[in-house]
C-alpha cells in the first residue's frame, strides 16, 4: 500500500547513502593540518591540529566546499582572498585550498572505491517498488561520480549536486535551496517530502524549508544536536526503517503538532 503522507524522499549523499563522510573528513584533515603547519613556519603561529569530531562537524560537514574553507579558517582567525574556482590547488586562496582538498578526496576514491550503506540502498529499492520519488541532494561536486562508482546513479529520480548548485547559484546548507530544487524538479511539495540527513547543517536546511519530515542519521554521536537543529526523528541507521515506519512517523508528528503547537520533535531510536 502506497504511503498516505508523503510521495518523495530526499537523501543526502555522504554519510547517508555512501560511507564517504569519513573520506571527506580525512581529506579535510590532511589539507588543513598541512596548511596550518605551513603557517606555523611562515608566521610563527601556534599549531593546533584539525579535530575531525569538532572541526569537521561544526564547520565543514554538509556545506559547499568553499563555504567550508571559509568557515573553518574563520574559526581559527584566518582570512584569505576567495580567489576563483579556476585556482590551482597550489594557490593560497579559499578556492585554491578547496581544490587541493578535492584532489586529495579524488585520489582516495580512485584508490579505495566507494563503500555504501546497505541499509539505505535497501530502503531506496523498497521505495522504488512503491513508486515513491527518490532524490539525492548534496553540496558535493563529486556527487555524480561517487554514485557512478558505487553503481547507484540509476536508483534516483533526480540529483541536485554542487555542480548544479553553482550553475544556478543555489545557497548551501543550512539554506534549503538544494532540497527545494529537488522538489521543484519532481513536481511535488515540501510538505509531502522527507529529508534524510546526517549533518547538522542538513537537518537545519530541512527545517528551514518546511519539509514534512526530517530524519537525522546519527553515525557520530550527534543525535541530541541533530534533534535540537531540526530533526523530527533520529536513528543510528536505516536498517529498521521502512516506508511504513516513515508513514507512521508522519502520523506521530501530526499528533504532536496538534497537541503541542510549534513542536514537532519525535524521539531518538
Amino acid at each position: 500500500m502506497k504511503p498516505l503522507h508523503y510521495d518523495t524522499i530526499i537523501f543526502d549523499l555522504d554519510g547517508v547513502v555512501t560511507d564517504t563522510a569519513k573520506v571527506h573528513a580525512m581529506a579535510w584533515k590532511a589539507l588543513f593540518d598541512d596548511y596550518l603547519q605551513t603557517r606555523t613556519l611562515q608566521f610563527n603561529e601556534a599549531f593546533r591540529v584539525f579535530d575531525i569530531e569538532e572541526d569537521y562537524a561544526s564547520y565543514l560537514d554538509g556545506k559547499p566546499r568553499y563555504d567550508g574553507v571559509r568557515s573553518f579558517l574563520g574559526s581559527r582567525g584566518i582570512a584569505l582572498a576567495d580567489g576563483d574556482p579556476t585556482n590551482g590547488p597550489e594557490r593560497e586562496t579559499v578556492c585554491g585550498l578547496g581544490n587541493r582538498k578535492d584532489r586529495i578526496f579524488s585520489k582516495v576514491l580512485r584508490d579505495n572505491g566507494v563503500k555504501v550503506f546497505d541499509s539505505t540502498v535497501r530502503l531506496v529499492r523498497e521505495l522504488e517498488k512503491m513508486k515513491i520519488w527518490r532524490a539525492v541532494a548534496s553540496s558535493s561536486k563529486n556527487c555524480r561520480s561517487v554514485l557512478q562508482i558505487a553503481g547507484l546513479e540509476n536508483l534516483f529520480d533526480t540529483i541536485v549536486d554542487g555542480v548544479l548548485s553553482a550553475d544556478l547559484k543555489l545557497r548551501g546548507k543550512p539554506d534549503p535551496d538544494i532540497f527545494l530544487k529537488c522538489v521543484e524538479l519532481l513536481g511535488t511539495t515540501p510538505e509531502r517530502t522527507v529529508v534524510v540527513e546526517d549533518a547538522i547543517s542538513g537537518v537545519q536546511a530541512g527545517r528551514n524549508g518546511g519539509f514534512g519530515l526530517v530524519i537525522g542519521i546519527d553515525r557520530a554521536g550527534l543525535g541530541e544536536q541533530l534533534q535540537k537543529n531540526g530533526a523530527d526523528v533520529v536513528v543510528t541507521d536505516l536498517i529498521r526503517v521502512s516506508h511504513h515506519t516513515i508513514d507512521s512517523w508522519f502520523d506521530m508528528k501530526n499528533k504532536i503538532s496538534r497537541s503541542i503547537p510549534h513542536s514537532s520533535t519525535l524521539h531518538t531510536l
Side-chain angles (χ1 to χ4, degrees):
M1 182 176 179
K2 193 169 182 176
L4 299 176
H5 298 93
Y6 71 100
D7 49 37
T8 305
I9 298 193
I10 302 174
F11 296 87
D12 180 35
L13 178 70
D14 303 307
V16 175
V17 178
T18 59
D19 192 9
T20 40
K22 294 175 184 176
V23 180
H24 280 289
M26 293 304 298
W28 283 120
K29 179 172 176 58
L31 167 74
F32 284 124
D33 280 352
D34 180 69
Y35 177 66
L36 294 172
Q37 286 177 324
T38 299
R39 289 187 65 92
T40 296
L41 295 175
Q42 288 179 335
F43 307 113
N44 199 32
E45 295 176 352
F47 174 68
R48 179 158 54 99
V49 299
F50 179 91
D51 186 291
I52 287 180
E53 291 186 6
E54 292 295 326
D55 293 326
Y56 179 68
S58 299
Y59 306 113
L60 296 151
D61 192 14
K63 295 182 180 179
R65 188 188 312 163
Y66 305 136
D67 288 350
V69 173
R70 291 186 200 95
S71 180
F72 173 72
L73 292 181
S75 76
R76 298 294 180 94
I78 300 171
L80 291 181
D82 278 355
D84 65 72
T86 64
N87 285 167
E90 74 285 348
R91 290 285 300 279
E92 192 173 338
T93 62
V94 167
C95 291
L97 290 182
N99 293 341
R100 195 182 308 175
K101 177 265 176 180
D102 186 55
R103 182 173 64 180
I104 298 168
F105 177 79
S106 298
K107 183 179 187 306
V108 175
L109 285 187
R110 289 195 303 271
D111 292 347
N112 300 330
V114 174
K115 295 181 181 178
V116 303
F117 290 107
D118 292 334
S119 55
T120 302
V121 175
R122 175 202 56 78
L123 176 60
V124 172
R125 293 190 185 281
E126 179 183 5
L127 296 169
E128 182 182 29
K129 292 179 181 178
M130 296 290 298
K131 301 189 185 305
I132 301 297
W133 296 115
R134 303 157 315 283
V136 168
S138 172
S139 300
S140 174
K141 291 185 176 181
N142 295 296
C143 178
R144 285 187 179 274
S145 61
V146 168
L147 288 172
Q148 288 170 353
I149 292 171
L152 300 178
E153 187 178 21
N154 293 333
L155 278 182
F156 298 96
D157 299 295
T158 196
I159 297 168
V160 176
D161 62 1
V163 176
L164 182 61
S165 296
D167 289 343
L168 299 180
K169 295 182 169 50
L170 302 179
R171 294 168 297 179
K173 305 168 193 175
D175 288 298
D177 293 20
I178 62 174
F179 295 147
L180 293 174
K181 190 64 183 177
C182 286
V183 166
E184 177 190 334
L185 291 171
L186 292 171
T188 183
T189 64
E191 294 78 13
R192 289 190 58 80
T193 299
V194 181
V195 168
V196 186
E197 266 282 356
D198 71 319
I200 292 170
S201 62
V203 296
Q204 288 173 334
R207 177 191 61 194
N208 293 339
F211 285 85
L213 189 74
V214 180
I215 301 173
I217 298 186
D218 177 20
R219 302 197 195 274
L222 299 174
E224 186 175 344
Q225 293 185 56
L226 290 170
Q227 280 191 310
K228 286 180 178 178
N229 283 278
D232 296 304
V233 61
V234 177
V235 296
T236 55
D237 189 79
L238 294 174
I239 191 167
R240 295 184 180 88
V241 177
S242 69
H243 65 280
H244 294 302
T245 311
I246 296 168
D247 216 34
S248 69
W249 284 338
F250 263 97
D251 269 335
M252 197 182 307
K253 179 180 177 179
N254 291 337
K255 290 175 183 176
I256 293 172
S257 297
R258 286 194 296 268
S259 62
I260 309 174
H262 311 301
S263 174
S264 62
T265 300
L266 304 180
H267 50 80
T268 302
L269 298 179

